[in-house]
Amino acid sequence: VIPLSTEEIHEELSKLDGWSFENMTLVKQYEFGDFAQAMGFINKLAKVAERMNHHPEWTNSYNKVLLKLSTHSAGGVTQKDIAMAQSAEQAAKAHST
Amino acid sequence: VIPLSTEEIHEELSKLDGWSFENMTLVKQYEFGDFAQAMGFINKLAKVAERMNHHPEWTNSYNKVLLKLSTHSAGGVTQKDIAMAQSAEQAAKAHST
């Protein structure tokens, strides 16, 4: 797996809402209505992660989830991370009031 | 709710395994057999958090879960955080191979 170029990453991010590219990682902070919604989002995305065999780093505090996506084995952001970001957007919509 | 004194916290931590007290927060890094076990632990603890109406901060990356406990409204560690740490120990045992 080879990482995307910075140009390719910014091209992909232009199609996504609220994501940034920091330290070779895609980052987004999600904020939900409450803890239950945040956990719903987390569990939806956990299923995607298992299916893709690609796991995010995430931090949860009550209704907030900070998501960090990168592909360690490639040393950067790959198409897998873009696909995971797209899945996260869908999952967040499904779990927001 | 009033925070525990540093003396009380260290007294409580002496009865727990692998926890430290840093920046007015109880901290432990758990390591599980795989991602599914880590998620099992997180979901078990999420139920405890909802029941107690007290929510941890946690970061997950594959099989690792970094847990941080403090009571924001009290500006430190309270008996609620000790209770949550005890629940985390039980939950971790239930989800470890």
Side-chain angles (χ1 to χ4, degrees), chain A residues 46-63:
Chain A
K47 282 182 197 159
V48 175
E50 285 290 62
R51 205 158 53 225
M52 292 179 63
N53 192 26
H54 187 58
H55 301 82
E57 180 186 317
W58 47 15
T59 296
N60 164 249
S61 177
Y62 192 58
N63 65 331

Side-chain angles (χ1 to χ4, degrees), chain A residues 23-43:
Chain A
N23 302 315
M24 305 304 281
T25 304
L26 300 186
V27 178
K28 181 167 177 176
Q29 163 97 21
Y30 286 95
E31 192 165 338
F32 297 92
D34 58 19
F35 180 67
Q37 285 185 7
M39 287 305 302
F41 167 75
I42 284 163
N43 279 298

